[in-house]
Amino acid sequence: MIACLGRVVHGSDDDVSTLFNSLNLQGTVENGDFSGIASKDFGGLNSVKPLYLIKPSGAEDVARVVKAAARTPHLTVAARGNGHSINGQAMSDGGYVLDMRSTSENHFKLVTVNGSPCIDVSGGALWEEVLTRCVSRYGLAPRSWTDYLSLTVGGTLSNAGVSGQAFRYGPQTSNVTELEVVTGKGDIAVCSETQNPELFFGALGGLGQFGIITRARVKLQQAPDMVRWIRVVYSEFEEFTRDAEFLVSQKDGESFDYVEGFVFCNNDDPVNGWPSVQLNPDQEFDPSHLPQTAGSVLYCLEVAYHYRNSDDPSTVDTAVSRLLGRLRFVERLKSTVDVSYVEFLLRVKRAEEQAKANGVWDIPHPWLNLFVSKSDIVDFDRTVFKKMVKDGIGGPILIYPLLRSKWDSRTSVALPEGEIFYIVGLLRFVPKGPSVEKKVAENREIVNWCIKEGWDFKLYLPHYRSKEDWKRHFGNQWTRFAQRKASFDPKAILAPGQRIFKRGTTSTTRQ
């Protein structure tokens, strides 16, 4: 077997056949190619050539590939979901890339856990597929989402998975009860809070370092029929954060069902300014309602209220008006629309279709996502929003609060201290050319500024190039993270694109 692997470094058609037969795979094998999907990702910032792209049929194929790589001194394995990494995290330079989308149909089964409904789904399934099938078949839906649903279950669970529901239910990593994982040793393991708990919590938010998620058991709840989707505008950051924090701190049933927010420019720029706020195309943003004290940067609080078709319209109106009446947004700068629940959750899909039509979707995306502590968010606004990116970034600038108590500290996700922290997303769309490196440098400048000022922050979807940076990122969780790596992937075969551990034949803790 080792000799066979040593002969296939050039990746000819004969070598593909040899590899396929030697591993007894049920899926398919393709040559690594710079023009193929495995050599690039959504970020458009990196391109590396894998040795092979493998489309596994299931967990058994995944295990065979990992075991084969383990028999060599150098090969690595990267699991690729739908390719929406930004910095090459799902790539393997000269190694194997597993296209997990080939496993998307392997699992879809409704089960009951302690009297509550759950759905068993493949790690390679897209969340949008899970949504539409759960709602259409059972009238049920997962509790926690990401904004964009063309992401795989295994991919988001390996990071955290956050959206406007996370303040109530926690991230997606807090809404699974069981995983099937292929470890870096090639073992297929079922794990949960009580069965193999160290692997279970390690894999959740583990950046793919401890195992490849091939199945997840996701918590469900009754799906509403409709959503009242609302955006309101603030000229002052302190008022925006006060209202956002108030909403996410209320008891279940006493707030909106979704709370997010974003920063936009006080001008008529179609991407960065007033036109980006309106939900209803028949409504126009009237800047004359803004106070004279408004600066060059404004803030939008985005909320949603769920209801059923059987609810009396007046009851919905009253509930929404009561909640809005407690907020201090700019009067007469409110945009509202009623949409179906599925349409609301697939809202980014429409933006994707438009972006693909005008060619924007395929340009580079030097995105930066951070978790910033409440204690530092005002200073962050003053320095980053009002100075560094005050003219916009050519894409959305997200900001909304999350509650630390909704996250399980046993998972691998690194968070700031304190109960309230903010997710900040600088979602840049940048044409190819010198401007890409410039925006990457601006992201680096923001991170370095946070470090210099001693702010309490963490990168979300982190990407570092040195072991010292990773140690700083995990802080006092680093020892646990390294020990989990040594236990479940001692040769550092998995997820090489994260650049945390170097492929070796001895325990990773010695590096």
Side-chain angles (χ1 to χ4, degrees):
M1 182 65 220
I2 296 177
C4 166
L5 292 172
R7 290 196 300 268
V8 299
V9 293
H10 299 296
S12 68
D13 290 340
D14 288 342
D15 293 332
V16 168
S17 178
T18 300
L19 178 68
F20 179 85
N21 292 329
S22 65
L23 295 184
N24 192 29
L25 297 177
Q26 302 303 304
T28 61
V29 181
E30 299 177 10
N31 285 325
D33 192 321
F34 274 122
S35 63
I37 64 170
S39 66
K40 53 190 176 182
D41 60 19
F42 184 65
L45 307 176
N46 301 275
S47 182
V48 299
K49 184 179 179 180
L51 185 60
Y52 291 108
L53 171 66
I54 300 171
K55 297 183 177 181
S57 66
E60 291 76 13
D61 272 3
V62 174
R64 291 186 184 101
V65 171
V66 173
K67 287 180 178 178
R71 296 188 187 103
T72 74
H74 63 283
L75 287 177
T76 57
V77 177
R80 186 185 193 274
N82 207 27
H84 276 261
S85 297
I86 303 301
N87 292 289
Q89 290 97 326
M91 296 181 187
S92 178
D93 190 2
Y96 298 148
V97 172
L98 296 169
D99 181 1
M100 299 303 292
R101 290 286 294 125
S102 62
T103 69
S104 64
E105 297 294 324
N106 287 8
H107 303 283
F108 191 82
K109 181 181 180 182
L110 185 68
V111 297
T112 300
V113 178
N114 297 325
S116 298
C118 293
I119 193 77
D120 277 352
V121 293
S122 170
L126 298 183
W127 283 106
E128 64 183 37
E129 297 168 348
V130 176
L131 167 68
T132 54
R133 294 174 74 177
C134 282
V135 172
S136 63
R137 294 189 186 184
Y138 310 116
L140 300 170
R143 308 192 305 175
S144 189
W145 297 99
T146 52
D147 287 333
Y148 179 59
L149 300 188
S150 291
L151 305 171
T152 59
V153 171
T156 65
L157 292 180
S158 296
N159 287 278
V162 294
S163 185
Q165 304 86 9
F167 77 93
R168 176 166 295 166
Y169 300 111
Q172 291 179 319
T173 50
S174 294
N175 289 276
V176 291
T177 63
E178 183 179 283
L179 299 174
E180 178 186 76
V181 176
V182 177
T183 71
K185 298 177 181 179
D187 298 329
I188 302 174
V190 174
C191 54
S192 66
E193 186 174 3
T194 56
Q195 180 182 2
N196 298 321
E198 199 66 22
L199 177 60
F200 178 71
F201 291 113
L204 293 172
L207 308 176
Q209 291 298 308
F210 315 118
I212 298 169
I213 297 172
T214 52
R215 177 180 61 81
R217 180 164 293 175
V218 181
K219 295 179 182 179
L220 300 177
Q221 64 180 3
Q222 186 179 51
D225 297 313
M226 298 293 293
V227 171
R228 181 156 298 176
W229 186 7
I230 307 161
R231 288 176 178 173
V232 293
V233 173
Y234 295 78
S235 62
E236 301 299 327
F237 186 68
E238 288 78 1
E239 292 181 351
F240 164 79
T241 55
R242 180 170 55 240
D243 281 358
E245 290 173 15
F246 165 77
L247 289 175
V248 303
S249 300
Q250 298 306 296
K251 295 179 181 178
D252 191 4
E254 297 182 10
S255 184
F256 288 102
D257 298 290
Y258 160 101
V259 177
E260 285 198 13
F262 58 91
V263 180
F264 66 105
C265 298
N266 189 5
N267 58 39
D268 61 359
D269 183 288
V271 175
N272 303 294
W274 308 323
S276 65
V277 176
Q278 298 306 105
L279 292 170
N280 190 329
D282 296 329
Q283 300 172 343
E284 290 188 6
F285 187 100
D286 187 349
S288 67
H289 297 310
L290 290 168
Q292 292 184 349
T293 55
S296 62
V297 171
L298 301 172
Y299 311 91
C300 178
L301 186 61
E302 182 177 55
V303 295
Y305 183 85
H306 296 168
Y307 62 96
R308 303 195 64 78
N309 289 330
S310 58
D311 291 341
D312 189 295
S314 64
T315 301
V316 177
D317 293 342
T318 299
V320 170
S321 296
R322 177 180 59 83
L323 290 170
L324 289 176
R326 304 176 72 173
L327 308 182
R328 305 178 186 180
F329 56 90
V330 178
E331 290 294 331
R332 301 177 68 181
L333 286 182
K334 179 180 71 172
S335 183
T336 304
V337 66
D338 287 75
V339 297
S340 74
Y341 177 66
V342 171
E343 184 181 356
F344 173 73
L345 288 177
L346 293 176
R347 62 197 180 277
V348 181
K349 190 74 173 180
R350 295 191 300 276
E352 175 191 4
E353 291 168 353
Q354 294 173 357
K356 285 183 175 179
N358 60 31
V360 173
W361 192 256
D362 295 322
I363 66 177
H365 305 92
W367 288 5
L368 177 65
N369 293 278
L370 309 99
F371 294 141
V372 181
S373 171
K374 171 185 175 179
S375 62
D376 296 310
I377 198 64
V378 172
D379 288 335
F380 188 95
D381 166 67
R382 188 179 299 119
T383 300
V384 179
F385 296 152
K386 288 187 170 73
K387 294 180 181 178
M388 293 184 176
V389 298
K390 63 181 178 63
D391 296 321
I393 61 170
I397 303 177
L398 304 181
I399 175 171
Y400 55 94
L402 300 168
L403 303 179
R404 201 175 199 272
S405 57
K406 300 294 184 178
W407 298 60
D408 196 314
S409 61
R410 293 172 292 181
T411 70
S412 296
V413 184
L415 299 175
E417 298 297 327
E419 170 63 356
I420 295 178
F421 63 95
Y422 282 78
I423 183 168
V424 176
L426 305 181
L427 310 185
R428 307 174 189 268
F429 288 72
V430 181
K432 293 181 180 179
S435 58
V436 175
E437 280 304 315
K438 180 180 178 182
K439 297 307 178 184
V440 170
E442 287 180 2
N443 289 343
R444 193 176 302 117
E445 181 184 2
I446 292 171
V447 173
N448 289 338
W449 183 268
C450 291
I451 296 172
K452 175 189 172 188
E453 295 298 311
W455 292 344
D456 184 12
F457 82 103
K458 300 291 182 182
L459 287 187
Y460 177 50
L461 312 176
H463 178 70
Y464 295 106
R465 292 186 175 273
S466 74
K467 179 67 71 68
E468 291 308 311
D469 284 337
W470 281 110
K471 287 183 176 179
R472 187 189 68 249
H473 172 78
F474 285 106
N476 57 17
Q477 297 180 46
W478 170 254
T479 299
R480 183 183 70 179
F481 195 84
Q483 289 174 344
R484 285 172 169 172
K485 185 69 170 179
S487 295
F488 302 114
D489 184 22
K491 294 184 178 181
I493 291 169
L494 301 179
Q498 295 284 0
R499 298 175 179 264
I500 306 176
F501 299 98
K502 186 178 180 181
R503 171 70 162 100
T505 56
T506 59
S507 173
T508 58
T509 58
R510 297 177 187 174
Q511 296 182 26

